[in-house]
């Protein structure tokens, strides 16, 4: 959907006009009271549920919506009951206006000139989409990780428009360590000689080396140490001479052969897996988008304007909350979720909190852990639909 | 010291001749029974204690030995009593034979052709140094992190030559997550266009971009989340326009100014700090050495030849042990130290274990935490000197 009205951004810049792509699932009811907005995280899009052909260039059936296990007919967020909206954020490379699009002022791709966008800007843009769809109030906003930050921000920017907020595997801001990982990933991209200050499209290049490193770093932080040991451990892997393709090589464990003693080639299965993930990502993700989205993560900090007092920052919220965290998530740890719960309770808000004992680290929010899904299902059935 | 006798390596390769540089502190006693060997970790050298001018190009007084707070006259490892030997390992870039040296067979720098060296190879080379120094048995071997792996290996390769082994902040092998971090760092180096397959010296280049990224990743994993939050938190930093030099900028916190909204420039203090550390490291460290040393870490796994049974692998050890770990060390966690302690106890070995409640993460082993230093002092006074 195109928006001709300029969008003022938190940075002071203004986006003159823009496009937002979105997908919906289910049917909006007569009084327009059953809409659920789903906010995406770093590497996702408006393709939230169902199957589609054009996501990230992957063939079916891998192009299932990124939260298809949670959202759909009869699923925990039941699209027989709710009208679910997935929207792609500004700055993305999956359809909405972003750095790969043409800057109308210059006729050239925006590249590094695309303005810095924040969680608050995304929420403002999403609110305009809802205006256009004729939805005054959301039954719920739902998001994980960076999507959880948008969810929280919705309750602060538009308190009257959100009845329920479901914040999964998120945090009220990033820790120094989180910012540090983002920064290393950005440096890998920005110092890639093919980056050209962010104007690589004009130079006919792509900073794939940097994107690969960025994705490898990200992947390590999405998994728990335990699950990595269980999945990969210290297993060696088959060599490319055995005629396996990249994914087969990545996933094929081999018997405890002798070490090959190499510094540049793959020796352990975990290395092969990470290289595969990095290669794949670098084929479809835009480097400037990576910079923008990690910066949106870094900048989000609603307590900042309240001298660091989260409780004061959340006083505006009117929604009822479900907050979910995962025990082995060291990127957005349960302690960070508990900070939000505490601040909400200090404001006498209604909060349900589920701390799920799951082994999968931050990635758990995308997986179908039965206790996690049961908690979301129960909340939507008993609270949101009530 | 030059060694003309070829050194057979674990990989099957042979190092025809080589140089080992070392430093000693204190005096070897008449019966040669007071020698303590100190093994270094990734980024260190034979400059263990005291002050020196040529270490890593740093001016005095920053060139203190890397374990000067622990080792010296009257210190926990008291050089008035012990004869301490610091030795630089093969493959290093701080003096002993390594990739920056000339390969006698070709007259060119070794570069990527320097053979892969393992913890076991280092120990064998160190043993020859002791032979040359006329030291049959060590009062103690002492090392942290990768140095702790060498210490453990000493007790397995030369059980009769080690009376005491002090293993600090170490592990019996790397976890998948540790290998993963090493691999990302190596990929950053190897995919730097200035790497030239490891023969950058012949090309007159240095893969500084890759080294910077590698060091930034390393730094994050050496610190705990807590200490990073305490030191840097979400503080913004002074800009270069304020005329500060790089280190001042890195360390100067600024008042809670407005965000500058930038994806490529520094915004947070932690970013500045990491960039500074990466820049500094890339000026003095050799990329091929980085690959070799991280691979030595990856490969170390004494239980591997015993079907993963650490207890069986450690049955050869005869030394008495002090094992030290730090509660916030997530790179070499206390659980990994406890594995070693358990395996040693199963072999009825004498083991003291100190789990130090320290906030500093893996870096703690280089800092002068009083409880940690007291434990080492007590062990050397009561056990090693006894």
């Amino acid at each position: 959907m195109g928006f001709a009205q300029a969008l003022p951004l938190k940075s002071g810049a203004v986006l003159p006009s823009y496009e937002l792509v979105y997908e919906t699932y289910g049917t909006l009811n007569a009084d327009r009271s059953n809409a659920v907005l789903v906010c995406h995280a770093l590497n996702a899009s408006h393709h939230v549920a169902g199957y589609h052909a054009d996501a990230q260039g992957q063939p079916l059936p891998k192009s299932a919506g990124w939260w298809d296990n949670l959202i759909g007919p009869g699923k925990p967020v039941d699209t027989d009951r709710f009208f679910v909206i997935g929207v792609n954020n500004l700055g993305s490379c999956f359809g909405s206006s972003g750095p790969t699009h043409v800057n109308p002022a210059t006729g050239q791709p925006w590249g590094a000139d695309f303005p810095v966008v924040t969680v608050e800007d995304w929420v403002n843009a999403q609110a305009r989409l809802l205006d256009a769809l004729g939805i005054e109030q959301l039954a719920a906003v739902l998001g994980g990780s960076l999507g959880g930050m948008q969810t929280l921000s919705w309750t602060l920017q538009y308190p009257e428009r959100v009845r329920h907020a479901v914040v999964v595997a998120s945090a009220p801001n990033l820790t120094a360590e989180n910012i540090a990982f983002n920064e290393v990933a950005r440096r890998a991209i920005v110092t890639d000689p093919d980056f050209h200050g962010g104007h690589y499209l004009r130079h006919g290049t792509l900073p794939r080396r940097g994107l690969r490193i960025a994705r490898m770093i990200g992947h390590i932080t999405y998994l728990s140490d335990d699950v990595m040991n269980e999945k990969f451990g210290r297993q060696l892997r088959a060599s490319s001479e055995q005629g396996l393709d990249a994914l087969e090589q990545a996933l094929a464990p081999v018997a405890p052969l002798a070490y090959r003693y190499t510094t540049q080639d793959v020796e352990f299965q975990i290395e092969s897996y990470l290289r595969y993930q990095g290669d794949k990502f670098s084929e479809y993700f835009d480097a400037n988008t990576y910079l923008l989205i990690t910066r949106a993560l870094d900048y989000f900090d609603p307590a900042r304007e309240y001298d660091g007092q989260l409780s004061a920052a959340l006083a505006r919220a009117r929604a009822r909350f479900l907050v979910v965290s995962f025990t082995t998530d060291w990127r957005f740890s349960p302690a960070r979720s508990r900070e939000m719960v505490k601040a909400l309770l200090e404001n006498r808000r209604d909060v349900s909190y589920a701390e799920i004992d799951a082994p999968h680290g931050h990635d758990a929010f995308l997986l179908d852990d039965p206790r996690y899904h049961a908690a979301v299902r129960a909340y939507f059935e008993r609270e949101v639909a009530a």
Side-chain angles (χ1 to χ4, degrees), chain A:
Chain A
M1 184 179 290
F3 294 81
Q5 192 195 345
L7 185 74
L9 302 173
K10 210 173 178 204
S11 67
V14 173
L15 199 59
S17 64
Y18 56 98
E19 180 89 16
L20 286 182
V21 297
Y22 67 101
E23 259 181 30
T24 67
Y25 317 88
T27 310
L28 188 62
N29 61 11
D31 60 358
R32 299 167 179 269
S33 66
N34 69 335
V36 173
L37 177 70
V38 177
C39 304
H40 71 74
L42 197 150
N43 172 35
S45 71
H46 53 299
H47 293 306
V48 173
Y51 284 81
H52 46 80
D54 64 339
Q56 304 168 13
Q58 290 175 359
L60 289 165
K62 289 200 178 160
S63 52
W66 56 271
W67 234 348
D68 186 61
N69 58 27
L70 189 75
I71 298 168
K75 294 184 182 176
V77 181
D78 188 351
T79 53
D80 289 337
R81 200 159 188 175
F82 296 103
F83 177 65
V84 173
I85 307 158
V87 56
N88 185 222
N89 283 324
L90 291 170
S92 173
C93 51
F94 296 134
S96 292
S97 294
T100 59
H101 290 210
V102 168
N103 177 354
T106 66
Q108 292 278 324
W110 281 100
D113 297 333
F114 194 85
V116 171
V117 279
T118 63
V119 166
E120 290 83 355
D121 298 328
W122 287 336
V123 168
N124 286 332
Q126 291 160 6
R128 287 194 181 176
L129 174 65
L130 296 187
D131 293 344
L133 296 176
I135 296 165
E136 178 52 35
Q137 192 185 55
L138 290 161
V141 185
L142 164 66
S145 189
L146 176 57
M149 291 176 164
Q150 293 161 64
T151 302
L152 180 62
S153 210
W154 257 101
T155 71
L156 307 178
Q157 293 176 246
Y158 300 99
E160 308 298 340
R161 296 186 75 168
V162 185
R163 290 204 301 280
H164 295 272
V166 179
V167 178
V168 183
S170 195
N173 63 26
L174 291 194
T175 63
E177 188 183 81
N178 276 321
I179 296 173
F181 280 120
N182 282 345
E183 170 67 0
V184 182
R186 281 191 297 262
R187 293 310 288 164
I189 290 169
V190 167
T191 63
D192 183 328
D194 286 331
F195 183 68
H196 294 292
H199 294 294
Y200 40 87
L201 295 181
R202 290 182 205 164
H203 287 78
T205 61
L206 289 171
R208 289 214 177 92
R209 283 177 290 249
L211 274 168
R212 281 189 202 111
I213 299 295
R215 184 58 165 177
M216 290 171 85
I217 295 168
H219 242 282
I220 298 174
T221 69
Y222 305 148
L223 300 179
S224 71
D225 193 19
D226 285 350
V227 83
M228 244 194 225
N229 280 331
E230 196 184 296
K231 275 175 90 164
F232 305 106
R234 296 182 50 82
Q235 283 191 322
L236 306 187
R237 60 168 278 283
S239 74
S240 56
E241 293 95 64
Q242 293 177 246
L244 303 178
D245 73 19
L247 181 58
E248 285 171 337
Q249 280 177 49
L251 299 177
V254 295
L257 301 172
Y259 287 149
R260 291 187 287 164
Y261 294 103
T262 168
T263 59
Q264 297 184 34
D265 296 331
V266 163
E267 184 78 91
F268 296 92
Q269 212 190 339
I270 180 68
E271 301 175 317
S272 181
Y273 174 77
L274 287 176
R275 288 192 193 190
Y276 174 77
Q277 295 294 342
D279 287 350
K280 201 176 65 162
F281 186 74
S282 75
E283 296 299 320
Y284 72 80
F285 209 83
D286 178 62
N288 284 310
T289 292
Y290 201 92
L291 304 185
L292 287 168
I293 295 190
T294 56
R295 262 306 192 217
L297 275 161
D298 292 355
Y299 283 136
F300 182 68
D301 188 10
R304 184 176 153 81
E305 290 161 30
Y306 294 85
D307 204 21
Q309 304 301 310
L310 187 62
S311 178
L314 302 195
R316 282 169 290 168
R318 291 291 166 267
R320 298 167 72 182
F321 281 79
L322 170 63
V323 177
V324 181
S325 72
F326 301 95
T327 48
T328 56
D329 183 351
W330 58 279
R331 191 170 166 110
F332 292 89
S333 71
R336 306 308 316 279
S337 282
R338 281 187 237 117
E339 285 177 42
M340 290 187 277
V341 171
K342 179 167 176 287
L344 289 164
L345 291 175
E346 283 165 355
N347 284 295
R348 300 174 182 280
R349 297 272 75 81
D350 255 328
V351 190
S352 302
Y353 176 53
E355 192 166 306
I356 308 290
D357 188 7
H360 301 98
H362 189 56
D363 255 6
F365 89 88
L366 295 169
L367 304 177
D368 60 356
D369 182 283
R371 286 159 299 182
Y372 159 42
H373 277 197
V376 174
R377 180 185 292 275
Y379 190 81
F380 272 84
E381 282 180 2
R382 292 178 207 161
E383 303 291 335
V384 185

